[in-house]
Each structure stands twice: as C-alpha cells, then as structure tokens.
Amino acid sequence: MAPEGSEDFPRTAPSSDPAGAASRVKVLFPLPLFKAYDYLLPPGVAAPVGAFVKAPFGPREVFGVVWRGAADDGVSAAKLKTICEVMATSPLSADLIDFIDWTAGYTMFPAGSVLRMVMRSGDGLVAPARQAGYVLGPPPDPPIRMTPQRHAVMDAVGVEPKPVAALAAAAGVSGAVVRGLSNIGALARVEIDPDPPFVEPDLTRPGHDLSDDQLFAAEQIRRHINNDQNATTLIDGVTGSGKTEVYLEAVAAALARDPAAQVLILIPEIALTLPFLKRVTKRFGAEPAPWHSELTSAARRRTWRRVADGSARLVVGARSALFLPFQKLKLIIVDEEHDGAYKQGDGVIYHARDLAVARGARAGFPVVLASATPSLETVVNVDEGRYDAVGLAARFAGAVMPNIALVDMRATAAGPGCWLSPPLVAAVNEQLSVGEQSLLFLNRRGYAPLTLCRRCGHKMTAPNSDTMLVEHRFENRLVCHHTGFSMPKPKACPACNAVDGLAPCGPGVERVAEEARERWPDATIAILSSDTAGARAVREILDAMHDGDIDILIATQVVAKGHHFPNLTFVGVVDADLGLSGGDLRAAERTYQLLSQVTGRAGREAKPGRALLQTYQTKAPVLAALVSGERDGFLAAEATSRRDLGFPPYGRLAAIILRGPDERALQACAQAHRAAIPPADGIEVWGPAPAPIYRLRGEARIRFLVKARRNIDIQRFIKAWTGGVKIKAAIRRVIDIDPYSFL
Ligand code: ADP
C-alpha cells in the first residue's frame, strides 16, 4: 500500500465571525456520497472538525460529522441550510477522519459509505434513558414486617445497583415486592447507566514468565511502542508457540505508556471470541470491550459509546472493529493475519489487515501481525524490509508438531460409496482402542455438494443463479451456500420428471458422518460446521471435544482455528485436494494455511499427534511441503511463481464487476467499458468475461481484472477509465481493490 501524504488541518472551525454572520462548515453524511456538503452553524454555536451533528438532508434530519476542508464562500448563505444540533458525543479523532478519507480513496468507495461503517451503531449518539436501580436503604425506623419474600430480596441486594427485574429475578419474587420495599424506604432508588464503563485493565498483574524467545519478541515490539514509532512486526510461530502471550505483553506496554491509550486486538472468527475474551479477561483482570456481529444492540451501543468517550481502553473485535470511533488508538494487533475472514466482501470492500497496517502508518503507531502461516504478502514485506519479524520456533513447553503423511487415493481408495480409505480407518480404530480423539476434516458443509439427475444429467441449481444446490440431509433440503436459497428436496427431477432419480454426488461432512456412524456405531460422533445452529450449540460441541467427551469430530474449517483439544492426537483430512482447483491465485497458499492449521490441532500437549491427508495429487508441492514441514521453501517457490506472473504481492490487482438483470444491457455496458480503457504503461486489463458464477440472485455478472505493476497508482487508472463510462440505473458497478475472490 502506498499511503498518500497526510495533510494538516485545523481542528476547530470558527463559530461566528465578528459581524455576527453565521459561519460555514462541511458535513459528511453516512450515506453513499463522495463529498461533504456545506452548512451554516447557528449563530454562537461552535462545532469542531469531527463533531457529530444533526442536519437537514432532503426531507429528513440526518446525523453527520463536521468534515475537514473549507466551505465554499462563493455560495450565498441564503442557499445553505443550518445545522439543527451539535451532539454531545466526543468528536471523531483527527487520525480517524484521516483514515476514513484514506480508506475511501484506497477502496474507491464514497467517503460517506466509510463513515457509515463508523456510525453504524447510530443509537450510540443519543444517550440512552437512565434506568432505576436499587441498593440497600438506611435501616427502616420503625422496623418493617419481614416476610420470606422480603428476606429474599434483602439477601439478593448487592453493592452494585440492580434494576427491578434483575433484583426480582435474583430473589425469585415479583417486581411488586421490590417496589414495595422501596416505597417504605428499605431499598434506595439510584440511577444506573445502561452503558456502564468497562473496568480498566489491571496493568500491574503479571503475565506468564516468558521463555527467552518470547522475551526477545516482546522486547522488540515494546521498543516500537516506547519510541512511539510506526512499525509493523510479524510474530511468526507455529500454533501453540506462545504468540498470544507475547502480544498481550505488547498490549500491556502500550496501555501502560499512556493512560489514555486505546488498543485494538482483531481476531478473525466470532466462534473464537468467547474463549479469547476469557483469556484476555484473566490476563488483565477486566473484561475487554467486545465487538462482533453477534452482540446484542445494547452491547454494541455500550462498546461504541465507551470507545468513543475513550474509556474502553482494550477492544477485542472482528474486522469491523477497525472502524470504531477510537479517541487515541495506539496499537493494533491482527491475530491470524493470513485469515481470509479479514476481507470484507459486501458494502465497502476492504481487507482489515491491510487497512490496520495503513492506519498505523498514517497515525504513527505500531501494528503487530501474528500467524503460524503468514500470508505471502506479509512474508514478502518482511523479506523486503518493510516489516520486522520475530520468530517463536517451538511449541511452548516442548509439545512437538504432528507427523503428517499422505494417503495416495489412487493406490488405496475407499470402497464404493465410501470416503474413508483403509489407512484412515485403521488410524481411527487405533485411536478408539487407546481412548484418544480423532478429527476428520472436510471443508464442505451439508451432505453432498452436487445433486444430479441420473436419467437426464440435470444439475440442481438455485433459481436464477448458476450456483449448485447442496443437499442437507438432516433437514431434507437443498440449500444454496451463495444466496441462502433453500427448498425441500424434490422427489422428481424438475427437468425430466423422473421420480427418485436425483442422486447426491460427492461428500460433505454429513455424508462422512453417516459413514463414520456405520463404521463405528459405539463411538461418540459429532459434526461441526457453520450449519451448527447458534453460538451455544457450537460452544457445547467445542467444550465436549475439549473435555474428551467426543471420540470422532467431523468438521469443516470452523474447527481449524485457535481451538485447543488436549486429547486430540489424530487428524484425518478427507479431501486434501479440495482447495487446489478453481484457478484462484492463492489456492495453494490457502490450502497450506488451512491444512497446517487443521493438522496443528493434533497433539498440542504431551502426547504427540499425527495426521493423514487423503489425496489424488501426491506430487502437489503444497502437500509435499506440509509433509516435510518446509514452509519457507514452499513460500519461496510460491513467491517465485507470483513474481514471474506479476501477481500480488509483486503486482497489483483490481476487479471491476458489472451486474444487472438485463443481459443485453449488461453486455453493452461491458463493451462500452472495454472501448473506454485508456492506454497505460504497465497495466493490463483482462475481460470482459462472464464471472465463474455468472447468474446470481437473478442478475448476470461480468468481470474485468486489472493487473498493474506494483508502483502504479491503480486507483487513478480505474478512475480515469470508469469515470467516463455512464452506467444505466439497473446496472451496478463494484470495484474490488486487491480481490481475494474471483467468483
Ligand atoms: P499461540 O498464540 O502461538 O497459538 P499461545 O500464546 O496460545 O500460543 O500459547 C499456547 C499455550 O501455552 C497456551 O495455553 C498458553 O497459555 C501457554 N503459554 C504460552 N506461553 C507461556 C509461558 N511463557 N508460560 C506459561 N504458559 C505459556
């Protein structure tokens, strides 16, 4: 990424000029708008840059933010509208405003759309009504008559005030009993803030005694923190090597250095938040502020408001936490930096790791990336000296890496209608006989990825889409994983009407589980995938696995990350070739990351682990690298091939996707784009080409791919190109800078 020069701007807009004329400010709204609009401030009212305001916009009054830049004095004041209200919420910090503008420029989305991500917890701007809470009152005089219910309430009252409902529930009585006690003065009524501040992290609590490797790594990062120096550091170490302990030291150092500093830890997976939050809470004696999509709206509002007022000092969140209204962000940790979940594909398209690095670079604070399988982008940045790296070589406390071997499926295939080869079955048998756990990994949800009519060859697809319907046998439904469409599995083929001819092709986790249940009827078997309903059910399975109550877990990548199962010593990968097809430039890299994470679940404690990978491609370099553990050699070979092709990180890519319901109009639009491509050195444009999934939700999709040399301003080229091409209202043009998906 090439950060543009940062520009200084005045933090305070003047209120009124001496003549008493109202002064002007620019206001950006959280709407898909590229620019801020001029407004008048009411006489005598001041609003610094970054202040949240309410202003008339069209027929409504809308929240917006006073933006930097001078308002246009040439427009007569009579034409401008006046701001209605300046909100009490602390103004956005200068570095966040800078980051919003930079992100808009980089991703080519409107600044208003980026601001929308910051303001998405819109109710955070209005202080919620205070609630009544109850604590013990002074001893009543004369003493009151006590009943068992009243005793129960008095026993349940604590130091912290509780609302009626909570107190009544804790005492097992009705709300009337609580209110009655308050009326006679036995309970005192106090106001409570529905968004209580987060407890400050206790920085005097010691962490673990670090190993020499860990100490060295922590010291490197601490140096950047204490010098207020922007530097990006990769902590590179196998799973279980103690990376988290190292970066928690960095968090403590950043928080200790400045009493107002805020720190953000980004993690990729919501399923991981709960155990991770617990770990951080234990380390600092205080719960960090959480941020992810499964929070209730009240919990979101609390985090948003407490981040905005600067009192939430440590935030743990998913990628969108990057857009919280931090007052004084001083450190970002990106855990599992290689993870694909950091790429946001809807709305504003961005990669949270890259934006985190850019944000640190612009605001001048350190960023830490942690991974056992760093992305090639990051590895090249380290090799070329842009990032620092610290390595943790071994698993903490001497646990060893699993032994990995391939099963050649051409030589030793599974039986007909089966997916588990004899060596894999033998391995699970052995596990069962010694009472140790197995994980069978297949990165495919449902029962079968394809449903085909045996009579006419018809493939079941989602309506108005070219996406395959996946059979989910437990629910007896066919489901599209791209659009969310689902239908009961029909008896007859919709194309030829043949009855009972629809056949499942290939395995998903449900089908492997069916085979496992037949083979091992006495074993406890569970399935885990993103179809497992609800965070609670997922947690229950993970806990049962952790406690050794499951013999065989059959799972998709939901299980790959972060989990620690002490008694899991064997991982069987049902289809190691799955991610290798499809022509995605990162296919091999992703396969390496995923399979090394999955196999890394085995043998995390004293007992050594092993893994078997079923494959038809025994010669694939990525599988050879997994077996030999030669990650760096594999990455070097990947790097060479990317460099030869001019692909990222040695070149830049951007995708332009046109989509719309009318194919003829879309084709014409694509041709108009083709004709408008300006000549440019070092840039190639491929396309227009139908997207691999051509029809999705009733819209056809056509793609262009722009490939540029690394030093070229690809955004400028795309602006010059697409700026002049008019598109009809029914057609949408989406720009994806640094695309990760090519479907
Ligand atoms: P990673 O983040 O690299 O996967 P963790 O930091 O989670 O590794 O460490 C793996 C396990 O080892 C955890 O249970 C952690 O608490 C423990 N651990 C790591 N470092 C230490 C240490 N210095 N002293 C004691 N336990 C440690």
Side-chain angles (χ1 to χ4, degrees):
M1 290 208 174
E4 295 154 16
S6 127
E7 86 187 70
D8 284 323
F9 57 94
R11 289 289 295 145
T12 310
S15 58
S16 307
D17 70 22
S23 70
R24 301 168 181 218
V25 286
K26 287 202 152 324
V27 176
L28 183 67
F29 292 100
L31 299 166
L33 302 166
F34 280 92
K35 62 183 186 85
Y37 290 81
D38 292 356
Y39 279 84
L40 297 175
L41 276 170
V45 172
V49 170
F52 289 98
V53 293
K54 196 191 257 181
F57 187 82
R60 294 178 299 150
E61 287 179 358
V62 179
F63 287 122
V65 173
V66 175
W67 217 243
R68 55 187 177 174
D72 182 359
D73 285 335
V75 180
S76 115
K79 288 201 173 146
L80 296 184
K81 292 183 176 160
T82 302
I83 281 171
C84 317
E85 190 182 348
V86 180
M87 311 309 292
T89 307
S90 308
L92 292 183
S93 66
D95 77 273
L96 179 53
I97 291 180
D98 171 75
F99 178 61
I100 292 170
D101 276 337
W102 185 86
T103 300
Y106 188 84
T107 60
M108 303 191 74
F109 276 82
S113 301
V114 181
L115 178 64
R116 185 155 179 272
M117 298 198 288
V118 175
M119 290 177 65
R120 72 171 58 173
S121 191
D123 57 352
L125 289 175
V126 187
R130 292 190 164 253
Q131 281 181 319
Y134 293 88
V135 289
L136 213 53
D141 185 25
I144 57 167
R145 184 178 60 83
M146 291 300 282
T147 61
Q149 283 98 332
R150 283 182 167 178
H151 270 300
V153 172
M154 299 309 261
D155 288 345
V157 168
V159 188
E160 291 293 322
K162 288 197 184 78
V164 175
L167 187 48
V173 301
S174 74
V177 182
V178 175
R179 277 187 290 268
L181 282 169
S182 162
N183 289 343
I184 52 177
L187 292 179
R189 205 180 131 109
V190 293
E191 280 197 340
I192 48 177
D193 188 334
D195 298 334
F198 289 91
V199 177
E200 284 257 331
D202 177 359
L203 303 176
T204 60
R205 274 168 98 99
H208 287 296
D209 288 334
L210 299 185
S211 68
D212 287 351
D213 266 5
Q214 286 176 314
L215 269 178
F216 180 79
E219 200 40 53
Q220 283 259 83
I221 302 168
R222 210 182 344 241
R223 237 193 353 258
H224 298 313
I225 291 169
N226 289 341
N227 294 337
D228 281 325
Q229 183 187 2
N230 165 246
T232 302
T233 307
L234 167 69
I235 310 179
D236 180 0
V238 295
T239 26
S241 59
K243 298 183 293 295
T244 309
E245 293 303 326
V246 170
Y247 72 63
L248 290 179
E249 283 304 305
V251 169
L255 292 174
R257 179 165 165 74
D258 177 347
Q262 294 173 296
V263 171
L264 168 63
I265 303 177
L266 288 176
I267 56 175
E269 191 78 14
I270 299 168
L272 289 180
T273 9
L274 211 58
F276 186 75
L277 286 174
K278 274 195 197 145
R279 181 165 175 186
V280 177
T281 304
K282 206 164 141 205
R283 171 68 178 78
F284 294 113
E287 183 206 359
W291 186 259
H292 56 78
S293 58
E294 284 192 5
L295 288 184
T296 62
S297 59
R300 285 170 82 80
R301 186 191 61 209
R302 178 184 180 209
T303 292
W304 195 93
R305 289 186 64 216
R306 294 305 175 185
V307 171
D309 73 13
S311 66
R313 300 197 59 210
L314 177 54
V315 179
V316 172
R319 61 184 179 220
S320 60
L322 200 52
F323 292 96
L324 281 168
F326 289 98
Q327 285 302 323
K328 202 170 189 188
L329 190 55
K330 284 293 186 189
L331 173 68
I332 305 180
I333 313 282
V334 185
D335 199 3
E336 311 283 3
E337 67 86 26
H338 62 275
D339 199 296
Y342 284 123
K343 178 82 180 181
Q344 154 109 10
D346 298 326
V348 177
I349 300 177
Y350 66 87
H351 197 296
R353 176 203 57 220
D354 295 347
L355 293 197
V357 170
R359 179 144 192 209
R362 297 186 67 79
F365 60 72
V367 175
V368 173
L369 311 177
S371 177
T373 51
S375 62
L376 194 61
E377 275 79 0
T378 295
V379 169
V380 170
N381 276 321
V382 170
D383 289 348
E384 296 183 356
R386 282 185 294 275
Y387 296 177
D388 284 351
V390 288
L392 300 177
R395 279 189 162 185
F396 189 76
V400 291
M401 293 306 287
N403 180 305
I404 302 177
L406 302 183
V407 177
D408 184 349
M409 295 299 276
R410 290 164 308 184
T412 172
C418 293
W419 314 98
L420 306 178
S421 63
L424 204 130
V425 171
V428 175
N429 281 334
E430 210 177 304
Q431 291 291 105
L432 290 170
S433 69
V434 294
E436 292 179 17
Q437 292 171 295
S438 305
L439 167 67
L440 300 183
F441 173 77
L442 176 62
N443 204 16
R444 251 198 207 137
R445 297 157 54 195
Y447 185 82
L450 173 68
T451 303
L452 189 76
C453 175
R454 270 184 304 224
R455 293 286 173 75
C456 73
H458 175 74
K459 291 177 184 156
M460 294 294 292
T461 56
N464 306 316
S465 299
D466 294 337
T467 51
M468 296 302 159
L469 289 177
V470 176
E471 179 175 350
H472 284 238
R473 185 156 286 195
F474 297 150
E475 294 141 31
N476 198 26
R477 293 184 81 80
L478 299 179
V479 179
C480 171
H481 292 170
H482 295 273
T483 62
F485 168 86
S486 84
M487 63 185 274
K489 186 179 175 192
K491 279 222 126 344
C493 168
C496 71
N497 290 323
V499 175
D500 291 332
L502 292 175
C505 301
V509 275
E510 291 180 5
R511 200 167 193 180
V512 172
E514 187 180 80
E515 181 178 341
R517 289 198 174 104
E518 274 165 26
R519 277 187 196 281
W520 299 290
D522 297 330
T524 310
I525 294 175
I527 303 181
L528 186 63
S529 77
S530 56
D531 295 311
T532 307
R536 183 122 165 248
V538 172
R539 205 56 258 155
E540 276 170 14
I541 293 177
L542 292 173
D543 287 347
M545 189 67 190
H546 178 271
D547 297 343
D549 296 338
I550 292 172
D551 297 316
I552 305 170
L553 181 64
I554 296 154
T556 63
Q557 63 178 350
V558 173
V559 84
K561 297 164 208 159
H563 305 296
H564 185 71
F565 307 124
N567 203 33
L568 171 67
T569 46
F570 172 67
V571 174
V573 175
V574 178
D575 184 353
D577 308 336
L578 194 56
L580 287 175
S581 53
D584 181 330
L585 77 109
R586 294 185 181 83
E589 184 191 348
R590 268 195 213 136
T591 299
Y592 187 90
Q593 289 161 347
L594 183 60
L595 295 188
S596 93
Q597 290 220 313
V598 172
T599 53
R601 299 302 109 207
R604 296 202 11 130
E605 290 200 351
K607 294 175 234 167
R610 65 186 175 124
L612 286 177
L613 315 182
Q614 297 192 153
T615 175
Y616 288 90
Q617 303 182 41
T618 45
K619 298 256 171 344
V622 52
L623 300 184
L626 280 161
V627 170
S628 65
E630 283 170 17
R631 185 196 79 179
D632 293 344
F634 166 70
L635 282 173
E638 270 292 293
T640 307
S641 83
R642 297 248 198 114
R643 188 188 290 120
D644 291 348
L645 295 167
F647 275 155
Y650 297 99
R652 307 195 57 201
L653 287 183
I656 317 275
I657 300 125
L658 302 172
R659 54 173 221 249
D662 177 350
E663 280 187 53
R664 288 250 298 275
L666 196 66
Q667 283 292 351
C669 180
Q671 288 314 323
H673 276 83
R674 177 82 237 169
I677 297 172
D681 235 14
I683 299 184
E684 288 172 64
V685 180
W686 297 336
I693 300 177
Y694 177 57
R695 282 157 58 76
L696 194 65
R697 297 188 183 93
E699 289 187 320
R701 300 157 74 245
I702 293 182
R703 296 179 66 107
F704 287 92
L705 194 63
V706 184
K707 189 175 90 144
R709 281 204 303 262
R710 190 155 77 175
N711 57 355
I712 284 178
D713 184 343
I714 201 168
Q715 286 89 349
R716 203 156 122 199
F717 170 79
I718 293 173
K719 211 177 202 168
W721 167 26
T722 59
V725 189
K726 284 224 155 44
I727 46 176
K728 290 194 175 151
I731 293 178
R732 280 260 291 147
R733 179 173 60 208
V734 179
I735 298 171
D736 180 357
I737 302 288
D738 311 325
Y740 277 66
S741 163
F742 299 86
L743 291 177

